[in-house]
Amino acid sequence: MPDAVLIFGLSSIRYFSGFSGSNALLWIDGSDAARDVLITDGRYTTQARGECPGLTIDIQSSRGSAALCATAAERGLHADTLGVDGEFLNWLDYQEIAAWLNTENSGGVDSTTILAQLVDISPQIAQLRAVKDSAEIVALDKAARCAEAALCDLIDEKILAPGVTENEVAARLDYLMKIHGSECVSFETIVGTGANGALPHHSPDGTQISAGDLVVIDFGAVVDGYHSDCTHTFCIGDPQPWQKEISDIVWQAHQAAVAAVVPGITAGSIDDAARAIITDAGYRECFGHFTGHGVGIDIHEHPWVRTGSQESIVPGTVFTVEPGIYLPDRGGVRIENTYVLEEDGNVRSLQAFSAELLLV
């Protein structure tokens, strides 16, 4: 076990400390919690003290490893072995921290020893964050309800109509989420109409909705720092046979993935359940992304619901199920809800709105 842990990732800093600012490091001492320190800059002095009561706040004008070295010198921080969230540690900070450890440890250790003193604990942090406690699930529920209320308003306003652009739909949905209490959007809202719906991460543009289009809308709200993630596919009028066919297959794949979930199942097995339905229907090459992912303080977290993943789904795990079929130059369908595996083995959707193809 490392003597101390240094957290660089802002979402993990928020997870462990509650601090929500845009610049920070978190030092967690392995032997004395009284020596834990949040390092940030002067913009966040008041905010940090309010969000992190009981935690030592150190204000530095520098950032990253330079801020750490200054705090370490002032407060006598020391570690023979330092755990870091390596996925957020850049090369320059790595070199500076290695040099600092070398200075702190007597004997002129060689570079091989320096490398051994930095231990990547990203997998342990990811595993810890993948399982949500009751307070986190409450926040995730709030975010899902916020986004869903905005979508209901959007439908009631009859914005999804011929002549309206993707940009207009996205902007209105973002506004409505804000009105319903979202701190910000979870990600750039995706609106893809007609052929653009075959692009899974299409950025909305000036393309106008036309009668008969499939419209894919992928969106999310953030409440209390936690994200929601949901995708609905709408048909502007009655669906054509090909549109109904692929939407029915995607819905079956979605249901099969959810039905496969039991405590201890691997995330890869959930992906397999959805992918088998789409493959058997002859659309294997039209489903090119993961079946899902974890959701929390980050919009994309562990577990990754993808082919071959051995990550376990256990009670408290929150994850999306989002199979899709995309036909180039024609259109696409994606159906996504976010689910939590509850203690009694129930798989509960955070979204209450119908997930099937919606006609407007």
Side-chain angles (χ1 to χ4, degrees):
M1 293 294 292
D3 304 314
V5 170
L6 181 63
I7 306 295
F8 283 82
L10 290 173
S11 58
S12 288
I13 289 172
R14 182 163 187 169
Y15 178 83
F16 288 111
S17 73
F19 179 68
S20 62
S22 65
N23 173 43
L25 295 174
L26 179 63
W27 175 278
I28 302 175
D29 197 281
S31 59
D32 186 358
R35 294 174 63 81
D36 295 349
V37 182
L38 178 79
I39 307 168
T40 186
D41 64 71
R43 296 172 297 167
Y44 296 112
T45 302
T46 300
Q47 178 179 331
R49 288 171 180 164
E51 290 181 338
C52 310
L55 183 62
T56 298
I57 309 298
D58 200 71
I59 303 300
Q60 296 289 345
S61 59
S62 54
R63 291 178 173 236
S65 55
L68 167 67
C69 292
T71 292
E74 293 168 8
R75 298 187 178 275
L77 302 182
H78 174 82
D80 292 321
T81 305
L82 182 64
V84 294
D85 51 342
E87 62 182 314
F88 295 102
L89 179 59
N90 67 48
W91 178 244
L92 293 177
D93 281 334
Y94 167 80
Q95 289 181 308
E96 294 234 0
I97 292 170
W100 170 67
L101 287 174
N102 183 33
T103 301
E104 288 296 302
N105 291 282
S106 60
V109 293
D110 61 29
S111 60
T112 302
T113 308
I114 294 173
L115 292 173
Q117 289 172 332
L118 283 173
V119 180
D120 181 23
I121 59 169
S122 297
Q124 291 86 343
I125 293 174
Q127 186 175 25
L128 182 64
R129 287 181 52 183
V131 181
K132 274 59 180 181
D133 62 25
S134 58
E136 291 181 286
I137 292 172
V138 167
L140 287 161
D141 275 324
K142 287 180 181 178
R145 289 197 299 270
C146 172
E148 209 153 58
L151 181 68
C152 288
D153 286 352
L154 187 83
I155 294 170
D156 290 345
E157 293 176 357
K158 302 187 185 305
I159 296 295
L160 293 171
V164 180
T165 69
E166 295 171 347
N167 277 332
E168 290 171 320
V169 173
R172 185 61 181 169
L173 184 53
D174 290 354
Y175 170 79
L176 290 168
M177 285 192 285
K178 193 77 170 179
I179 291 299
H180 281 285
S182 181
E183 298 162 15
C184 58
V185 294
S186 291
F187 47 88
E188 181 189 29
T189 296
I190 297 169
V191 179
T193 190
N196 290 341
L199 306 172
H201 271 198
H202 171 67
S203 291
D205 57 29
T207 302
Q208 294 183 349
I209 295 173
S210 297
D213 276 357
L214 291 175
V215 182
V216 179
I217 302 180
D218 190 348
F219 64 109
V222 180
V223 176
D224 295 336
Y226 282 78
H227 294 71
S228 71
D229 194 0
C230 182
T231 306
H232 286 297
T233 303
F234 297 84
C235 189
I236 311 303
D238 293 330
Q240 299 175 51
W242 72 269
Q243 293 171 327
K244 188 174 189 313
E245 178 187 357
I246 64 172
S247 64
D248 286 348
I249 293 167
V250 172
W251 178 230
Q252 291 166 22
H254 185 109
Q255 292 178 300
V258 175
V261 179
V262 294
I265 191 173
T266 64
S269 296
I270 300 172
D271 182 277
D272 291 343
R275 204 166 296 278
I277 298 294
I278 293 173
T279 297
D280 291 347
Y283 289 97
R284 178 178 179 274
E285 300 303 321
C286 302
F287 176 29
H289 57 73
F290 300 169
T291 294
H293 55 86
V295 182
I297 294 177
D298 285 321
I299 184 60
H300 296 117
E301 296 188 352
H302 290 264
W304 298 106
V305 185
R306 63 185 179 188
T307 301
S309 173
Q310 295 301 307
E311 294 181 277
S312 292
I313 306 298
V314 299
T317 307
V318 176
F319 57 96
T320 67
V321 171
E322 49 182 299
I325 292 177
Y326 310 94
L327 305 181
D329 302 320
R330 298 183 74 186
V333 172
R334 180 163 66 256
I335 296 174
E336 175 188 18
N337 275 357
T338 302
Y339 294 89
V340 56
L341 178 59
E342 299 180 314
E343 289 294 334
D344 61 1
N346 179 53
V347 182
R348 178 173 66 84
S349 174
L350 274 59
Q351 285 81 24
F353 206 76
S354 173
E356 299 177 71
L357 181 68
L358 300 170
L359 308 183
V360 293

